[in-house]
Amino acid sequence: MLMHFLDSGRDLKFALTASYDPVLVGCSIGAAVLAAYAALGIAEQIRVARGLVARLLWLVSGAVSMGLGIWTMHFTAMLAYRLPIAVRYDELITALSVLPAIGAAAIMLHLITQPKVRSGRIVFGGVLIGGGIGAMHFTGMAAMRLDAEMLYYELRTPLNSVIGFADLLKDEVPGKLNQKQARFATDILASGQCLLALVEGILEMSRLDAGAAALGREQVPIGAVVAERVAAHREAAAALGLTMRVDVAADFGGAELSPGALTRMLDALIDNAIKFNRAGGEVAVSVRRTGDALEIAVGDKGIGIARTDLPKLFTPLVQLDAGLARKHGGVGLGLALARRLAELHGGTIEVESEPGKGSTFKLRLPIQERS
């Protein structure tokens, strides 16, 4: 049910109630008026300035004044927009967002203060300042960082209640259910768990992107961890009539990795191989050393992936086939998180696939053995 909802909308959107701070809105308007007044005054000084140096000094000061004024107006307006979750701004990107406005203002002032001002120059100057404001706006928006941690806890509490009550209904704790009611309770539970997995995945991805998730490397016995994760998935594989085969190189010992991250990567790859396999197929997991790297390959004999779909495979929240997504479940975060974790280890995940013949995902990580 949840995947049908996600597919029908394609873009997952959260409706957040927001408001504006009237004081900051007024300050934003005031900044725009002052910037315009200063720019007009300086433009006149540029026209009457004698000598290249004097003209250049007035031009630079006018561009900085106008650019900073536009930037102040824009950023104050952004601060005036109150969301129900905490918002912070990347300091470097916020500071850089002023540069497009200053640059566009400089070119525009240069054009409109020429001895002969033609309409074409005025139009071109307007286009430039508009483009500069647009570039400043999108750079400023890119600096916004929503507090995913707070959003996670705000969503998790009601979700846990939904999941808990649905589980009670499914187990018929309040009383006996008919067949239709039992199916509804099962669907509610599955959808709630799917949405909780989505929220947790988004939180983890935001933590990784923000550098807030510590890997905590330690010596990990690779063969034992791989065997453990394969054993954890045997029941799910057997339910679909699949066999699982493990091949670990005899001379392979351990490596310095994050055990939690390795578990997450293996789970994502094995789960994917099980979900998109064919009935009666096989999931093959192999571990070997290739030079100074660890290579874990997870292969299946499933439906395969079209070459045109490979670039989208590791994009968060993207399902290659909506029909398959509804059939097999998942929210499109497992492989994206796995590759991100691999990249944080200095490695990557590659895929070889052919439609109708299956896929092989290869996790490659540099080996950092304890000296």
Side-chain angles (χ1 to χ4, degrees), residues 80-286:
Y81 188 60
R82 302 294 192 192
L83 288 170
I85 60 174
V87 178
R88 61 183 180 82
Y89 293 88
D90 183 284
E91 293 86 354
L92 178 60
I93 298 178
T94 300
L96 290 175
S97 67
V98 74
L99 297 180
I102 292 176
I107 298 174
M108 187 270 291
L109 285 172
H110 173 70
L111 291 174
I112 67 172
T113 55
Q114 296 298 308
K116 293 183 179 180
V117 182
R118 298 175 181 174
S119 59
R121 286 181 175 176
I122 295 176
V123 171
F124 185 53
V127 170
L128 282 175
I129 195 65
I133 292 173
M136 176 200 66
H137 169 75
F138 286 107
T139 306
M141 294 296 289
M144 290 183 68
R145 300 288 185 267
L146 297 181
D147 191 341
E149 197 91 22
M150 179 179 175
L151 182 61
Y152 167 69
Y153 289 112
E154 289 288 334
L155 291 173
R156 189 183 68 170
T157 301
L159 270 176
N160 282 334
S161 297
V162 171
I163 292 170
F165 284 118
D167 199 26
L168 290 174
L169 287 172
K170 184 179 71 70
D171 293 339
E172 299 184 331
V173 173
K176 188 71 176 176
L177 302 178
N178 61 40
Q179 187 175 5
K180 181 181 289 187
Q181 291 169 335
R183 188 175 73 251
F184 287 167
T186 301
D187 287 346
I188 293 170
L189 179 60
S191 296
Q193 290 171 336
C194 190
L195 185 55
L196 183 60
L198 171 63
V199 172
E200 290 176 340
I202 292 173
L203 175 65
E204 185 170 356
M205 184 68 78
S206 68
R207 283 174 172 170
L208 292 174
D209 289 339
L215 290 179
R217 298 172 187 251
E218 59 183 74
Q219 188 73 5
V220 177
I222 302 300
V225 174
V226 170
E228 174 189 293
R229 300 325 304 160
V230 169
H233 288 82
R234 283 195 186 278
E235 185 176 347
L240 298 174
L242 305 177
T243 58
M244 300 194 73
R245 178 169 54 86
V246 184
D247 180 19
V248 180
D251 60 343
F252 203 96
E256 287 281 338
L257 300 169
S258 165
L262 179 59
T263 296
R264 189 67 183 261
M265 290 184 282
L266 287 172
D267 283 347
L269 296 178
I270 296 172
D271 183 61
N272 186 77
I274 291 173
K275 285 194 299 186
F276 296 100
N277 217 320
R278 295 185 186 279
E282 179 186 74
V283 176
V285 182
S286 64

Side-chain angles (χ1 to χ4, degrees), residues 269-316:
L269 296 178
I270 296 172
D271 183 61
N272 186 77
I274 291 173
K275 285 194 299 186
F276 296 100
N277 217 320
R278 295 185 186 279
E282 179 186 74
V283 176
V285 182
S286 64
V287 181
R288 65 185 180 126
R289 182 194 294 266
T290 56
D292 293 329
L294 157 69
E295 181 182 282
I296 301 177
V298 180
D300 63 69
K301 302 297 182 182
I303 58 178
I305 305 165
R307 184 178 296 274
T308 54
D309 285 333
L310 291 177
K312 300 181 290 185
L313 190 59
F314 296 96
T315 304

Side-chain angles (χ1 to χ4, degrees), residues 23 44 50 54 72-73 126 134 169 183 209 215 217 227 236 255 293 328 336:
V23 175
E44 184 60 30
R50 295 183 178 181
T72 302
M73 172 206 67
L169 287 172
R183 188 175 73 251
D209 289 339
L215 290 179
R217 298 172 187 251
H328 299 287

